[in-house]
Amino acid sequence: MAERSGTAQVPLDLEARSLVAGEGRYTDDLAPSDALVGIFVRSSVAHGKIRGIDVDAARQAPGVVGVFTAEDLASAGCNPITFMVPLMTVDGKAEVPYLRTPRPALAADRVRHMGEAVALVVAQSLGAAQDAAELVDVDIEDLTPFTSRDVAGAPLEAPIWDSAPTNQSYVWLGGDLEAVQTALSSATHRVSVSLRNQRVAGSPLEPRAAVASYDESNQRYTLYCGSQGTTNLRKGLAEALGVPVEAVRVISKDVGGGFGLKVYAYPEYVATAVASRLLGKAVRWTATRSEALMADQGGRDSLLNIAGAFDQNARLTGIHCNIMSNIGAYAIGIGPRVQSSCIAENLAGPYLVPAIALKTVGVHTNTISTAPYRGAGRPEAAYMLERLMDKAARQIGIDRIELRRRNLIPRDRLPYVGPMTLLYDSGDFAAVLEKAVELADWRGFEKRRDEAQKRGLCRGIGCSLFAETAGVNFMEPLDFRVTQDGFVELRVTGVSSGQRHRSTLVHLVKERLGIGHSDIRIIAGDSDDVPVGSPAVGSRVAQMTGSAAVQAADNAIARGRAIVNAICDGRYNDIEYADGHYTVVGTGESIAFLDIPKRIAMSRAEGKTIDETLDAVEIFRSPGFSFPNGCHICEVEVDPKTGALQILQYVAVDDCGTVINPPVVEGQLVGGIAQGIGQALMEEVVYDSRGQLLTGSFMDYALPRAEDMPHSMRIVDLPDPTPSNPLGAKGVGESGTTGSLAAVVNAVEDALAPLGVTHIEMPLTPGRVWEAIRAAGT
């Protein structure tokens, strides 16, 4: 299906064989055989006061060893989860206040969304726990739920939080409003688009799970769970458990998908940890798919309004954006950032926009919280911008590609500081656009449209350009060690959830050191063994962890020269390094890099003083974001009689900087495009007016299958390396999703335009497409 071109050799694949052979060790595989099983009792209403919880019958049920409520956790010293990240202005210089919402492990006096956990039943078997959970009687006084994002008007009948009478969490402002207003008032063409970016569910292949235990002898918790990084999760968990960070160990082995939702401490992790301590045995819990759809953090969910000012030459002079974001019942981690500063950082895209102004309002509702989902603000920004560009082209009367071409940041303007003060240090946006147009045969499309019309079908083509931020958190620690038994160990903070970190990092270091791949170990996923740092988020691992790895290898080689000189009594300064060996030029003596620890030990035994070591915790610092960018073009056919559509052709031309691992780049793009297609065509989390979840299983929540993917897909790397890191890498994890939403929707709008359809909202289900055709009156 996919073609690619790149600049790097194909490195080793060190993960696929074991995972394909079923040798992976996921969280549910790690529980001891005698572990107890936990089942959560969850609220069936979206908003209410808890009048009582009767657990007596459940406690007496066969096989039950414990039933816990919020009162039990409080007595055990448990606190609410309060790990929330400050919301900052786009320049990072000022903090924007938002409502801090402590999240209980088990709801005590009030429930704020359907599926909120109110009790934990622990039994000797899954069946016993399930049967006992049915016996827990929860008495809840219904309160009026709030599911609308319209917070204008009088205070609500039953606010979710007493400190927020309109359920408003924050108001975030960014950019130059005065300049944008001037641009809009003087514009030759003023174009606006109102969009809905529906809520979606992350739905990783491996549901969330936990195995918790407590060691009474050292008063220490251990939690196994799938995560994208263990150190932040450990911090949040320790705060909720009321213990020092050192009293908590978090371990993640193989992780079957993350997409942003496996970053923070969840209520289930806290409750199972406390239960393990009180019961003196390991407690395991694995979410069912319905539980995951109820209790995993959601993604997207915002109303987007964008207005663009264009001059007489169809060039953008300003953009104004208003966003109303549903952040759910609780603020989680960087949740408030996603629909505010993350969008602002990406809103200019690859275009030369003089001024941007953004206002975003975060609103609490009686639904599960929203937080990062693959892209985290980037797809929202590109979707708005590219829907705007298509509408502007129609309104102005200019070719869609020509409009984009006129507004691109010229290569000779780089480095370029955008309207949100972010530095674009590389990128050939025009080349990316022209290559995609060529591969998609954009100029020959009208012939294909005419041919489809003869068959009674509507054919359309859509384009989406983007330039997105990557490399969030500009500091990356890496613990580099060479062991006595002759192995290089790289201890890294991010955990792979399918991106094959091990293959990429081992490839980089073996090339730098000139040693075999089997001599390198990657240690990740154990908070006891890795430095404190960022999880694997924001397309950062290749450019941040990869750069830290090669920096560590280079510095270790330099330290090794000093050590070899000391071993040789300081007599030789001319020491060369190649192919994993140091050579003393004066004598020809050769010492292997991996033998250095042994040689240090031998020299010290002989009485020599050697203070240096190959080991060090290296910190790579980036000057700022990189800007991966691309152009995606999608071609579709729609059956106007049924609304069914097919994606016939998809072209993705991407600049992710230096291509280190071509198969991983290809896989990330194909997977991201699949998720974007899913949101564009079918995925939507739906609640009714009472806050009841209507999409509680995969019978109701649709995910894309192979048949929904493009019939033909071409993926081409067009790298323009960034100077911001020694690898020139920019990141690729979000690009497929960022580029695909608008490409698909613009294509469908183009297909339906001859029928009079001028606007359509995601997801583009056959029913919604058919209704749009019917409403257009053709």
Side-chain angles (χ1 to χ4, degrees):
M1 279 179 59
E3 296 178 10
R4 57 168 169 75
S5 63
T7 60
Q9 62 177 301
V10 178
L12 299 159
D13 185 346
L14 303 176
E15 290 99 335
R17 182 180 179 86
S18 64
L19 295 179
V20 170
E23 297 169 3
R25 299 184 68 213
Y26 298 90
T27 300
D28 196 54
D29 301 321
L30 303 174
S33 58
D34 62 345
L36 302 173
V37 180
I39 290 290
F40 285 90
V41 179
R42 300 183 181 275
S43 171
S44 60
V45 302
H47 196 195
K49 293 180 180 179
I50 299 177
R51 291 186 291 214
I53 303 177
D54 186 350
V55 299
D56 289 345
R59 282 183 171 144
Q60 296 169 15
V64 171
V65 294
V67 181
F68 303 94
T69 64
E71 183 179 355
D72 300 309
L73 299 193
S75 298
C78 184
N79 304 311
I81 299 170
T82 56
F83 187 78
M84 288 169 264
V85 178
L87 177 59
M88 308 299 291
T89 54
V90 74
D91 59 8
K93 295 179 179 179
E95 186 170 341
V96 177
Y98 69 93
L99 182 65
R100 300 302 180 105
T101 53
R103 188 182 189 190
L106 296 173
D109 55 358
R110 193 165 178 175
V111 292
R112 292 181 168 89
H113 64 84
M114 178 191 174
E116 185 162 15
V118 296
L120 169 62
V121 177
V122 181
Q124 293 173 343
S125 69
L126 177 62
Q130 289 172 329
D131 290 344
E134 297 288 336
L135 301 176
V136 176
D137 184 12
V138 184
D139 182 11
I140 299 178
E141 175 190 346
D142 278 9
L143 297 175
T144 302
F146 180 76
T147 58
S148 168
R149 300 178 206 106
D150 181 7
V151 294
L156 304 170
E157 178 183 335
I160 298 170
W161 297 95
D162 294 338
S163 52
T166 62
N167 285 338
Q168 184 172 291
S169 172
Y170 64 84
V171 176
W172 190 96
L173 304 172
D176 188 340
L177 180 59
E178 183 177 352
V180 170
Q181 288 175 333
T182 299
L184 288 168
S185 63
S186 60
T188 305
H189 307 280
R190 179 171 176 166
V191 184
S192 61
V193 184
S194 295
L195 302 166
R196 177 173 173 266
N197 202 305
Q198 81 273 25
R199 179 180 289 227
V200 294
S203 305
L205 188 62
E206 178 200 20
R208 283 190 303 112
V211 179
S213 61
Y214 184 76
D215 188 339
E216 185 66 42
S217 63
N218 59 18
Q219 298 185 328
R220 198 160 190 250
Y221 294 92
T222 297
L223 177 76
Y224 288 91
C225 69
S227 79
Q228 294 167 243
T230 56
T231 57
N232 276 358
L233 199 157
R234 176 180 65 169
K235 185 176 187 297
L237 190 60
E239 291 172 354
L241 292 171
V243 298
V245 171
E246 296 76 20
V248 175
R249 182 184 185 188
V250 177
I251 301 172
S252 296
K253 295 293 187 180
D254 291 311
V255 182
F259 314 128
L261 65 85
K262 292 181 180 176
V263 173
Y264 303 112
Y266 277 86
E268 294 88 353
Y269 302 164
V270 178
T272 54
V274 174
S276 71
R277 175 166 71 86
L278 297 179
L279 297 173
K281 291 194 70 173
V283 177
R284 68 190 300 170
W285 163 78
T286 299
T288 65
R289 188 57 67 181
S290 291
E291 267 189 301
L293 289 166
M294 277 194 295
D296 286 359
Q297 68 190 39
R300 316 289 191 240
D301 205 347
S302 54
L303 298 177
L304 311 169
N305 295 277
I306 185 171
F310 294 82
D311 66 15
Q312 67 274 17
N313 296 314
R315 289 190 170 90
L316 271 166
T317 58
I319 289 174
H320 188 261
C321 184
N322 277 297
I323 298 171
M324 187 73 74
S325 170
N326 178 2
I327 65 173
Y330 300 94
I332 295 177
I334 70 163
R337 273 205 65 207
V338 172
Q339 303 289 341
S340 54
S341 59
C342 289
I343 289 181
E345 291 161 358
N346 292 273
L347 192 53
Y351 300 118
L352 198 67
V353 187
I356 288 177
L358 182 80
K359 177 182 179 182
T360 177
V361 177
V363 181
H364 286 292
T365 67
N366 291 114
T367 62
I368 189 66
S369 302
T370 57
Y373 170 68
R374 194 170 192 167
R378 300 162 184 83
E380 292 91 328
Y383 183 60
M384 274 191 291
L385 191 56
E386 293 303 295
R387 293 291 300 273
L388 175 73
M389 296 300 277
D390 259 31
K391 185 172 182 180
R394 292 193 297 270
Q395 187 170 317
I396 296 170
I398 187 174
D399 177 76
R400 289 175 287 165
I401 298 299
E402 177 58 25
L403 177 65
R404 289 169 167 86
R405 192 180 282 132
R406 289 188 190 183
N407 284 282
L408 290 175
I409 301 168
R411 187 172 176 80
D412 60 12
R413 289 286 299 271
L414 299 177
Y416 163 75
V417 177
M420 305 308 285
T421 72
L422 299 179
L423 176 68
Y424 293 67
D425 62 18
S426 60
D428 193 339
F429 308 120
V432 167
L433 172 61
E434 300 305 334
K435 186 66 173 178
V437 167
E438 173 196 340
L439 293 174
D441 187 22
W442 186 281
R443 293 174 182 85
F445 170 72
E446 290 304 325
K447 291 182 179 179
R448 300 192 294 277
R449 191 200 293 270
D450 292 343
E451 186 276 331
Q453 188 175 10
K454 294 175 183 177
R455 294 184 283 113
L457 301 176
C458 301
R459 194 157 181 149
I461 191 168
C463 175
S464 175
L465 281 158
F466 65 92
E468 59 180 0
T469 55
V472 64
N473 301 331
F474 305 136
M475 185 275 289
E476 180 73 3
L478 182 144
D479 190 345
F480 182 97
R481 304 182 190 182
V482 182
T483 65
Q484 286 286 338
D485 55 349
F487 287 93
V488 170
E489 289 185 348
L490 304 178
R491 298 167 182 260
V492 301
T493 61
V495 178
S496 174
S497 54
Q499 308 94 322
R500 302 203 309 218
H501 293 173
R502 183 180 169 211
S503 295
T504 299
L505 295 175
V506 167
H507 171 74
L508 288 170
V509 173
K510 84 178 184 67
E511 292 295 305
R512 216 71 171 195
L513 294 178
I515 62 177
H517 74 272
S518 58
D519 297 323
I520 303 170
R521 299 168 176 161
I522 304 296
I523 295 176
D526 188 333
S527 62
D528 275 6
D529 292 339
V530 302
V532 175
S534 174
V537 296
S539 297
R540 69 184 309 277
V541 171
Q543 61 184 306
M544 297 300 297
T545 311
S547 293
V550 298
Q551 175 179 297
D554 288 346
N555 289 342
I557 291 171
R559 291 193 299 274
R561 282 194 177 91
I563 294 169
V564 170
N565 191 37
I567 290 172
C568 297
D569 300 319
R571 292 173 294 160
Y572 307 101
N573 291 320
D574 193 2
I575 300 171
E576 296 180 348
Y577 183 83
D579 299 326
H581 289 77
Y582 295 95
T583 301
V584 180
V585 175
T587 65
E589 182 181 0
S590 178
I591 299 178
F593 179 85
L594 296 176
D595 287 341
I596 293 290
K598 292 180 182 178
R599 294 297 295 268
I600 291 174
M602 292 168 56
S603 295
R604 287 173 177 168
E606 294 169 358
K608 294 180 181 179
T609 300
I610 300 179
D611 297 324
E612 188 67 86
T613 175
L614 293 177
D615 301 347
V617 175
E618 296 282 348
I619 297 177
F620 171 72
R621 288 183 170 84
S622 169
F625 291 118
S626 67
F627 277 86
N629 59 90
C631 179
H632 292 200
I633 294 178
C634 177
E635 193 165 327
V636 302
E637 277 187 347
V638 179
D639 184 343
K641 296 178 182 178
T642 64
L645 66 88
Q646 290 184 324
I647 300 177
L648 302 178
Q649 174 178 281
Y650 197 101
V651 169
V653 177
D654 285 85
D655 166 19
C656 61
T658 301
V659 179
I660 300 167
N661 190 324
V664 167
V665 167
E666 182 179 303
Q668 287 290 294
L669 284 166
V670 172
I673 290 167
Q675 286 181 265
I677 287 172
Q679 181 176 358
L681 299 187
M682 62 195 71
E683 293 188 47
E684 182 175 19
V685 174
V686 180
Y687 293 91
D688 69 11
S689 61
R690 298 298 300 173
Q692 292 294 307
L693 180 66
L694 302 182
T695 48
S697 75
F698 284 162
M699 293 292 289
D700 310 295
Y701 184 88
L703 288 175
R705 308 183 198 184
E707 64 187 14
D708 300 306
M709 291 294 284
H711 294 188
S712 169
M713 180 179 285
R714 300 188 71 180
I715 292 176
V716 175
D717 307 312
L718 206 64
D720 189 44
T722 173
S724 65
N725 64 72
L727 299 175
K730 293 181 179 178
V732 73
E734 330 295 330
S735 296
T737 310
T738 301
S740 57
L741 291 182
V744 174
V745 178
N746 283 344
V748 175
E749 262 196 6
D750 181 58
L752 301 181
L755 303 181
V757 177
T758 59
H759 184 79
I760 194 166
E761 293 281 10
M762 299 185 295
L764 307 180
T765 61
R768 182 166 291 177
V769 172
W770 185 84
E771 286 286 356
I773 295 170
R774 182 169 176 267
T778 52

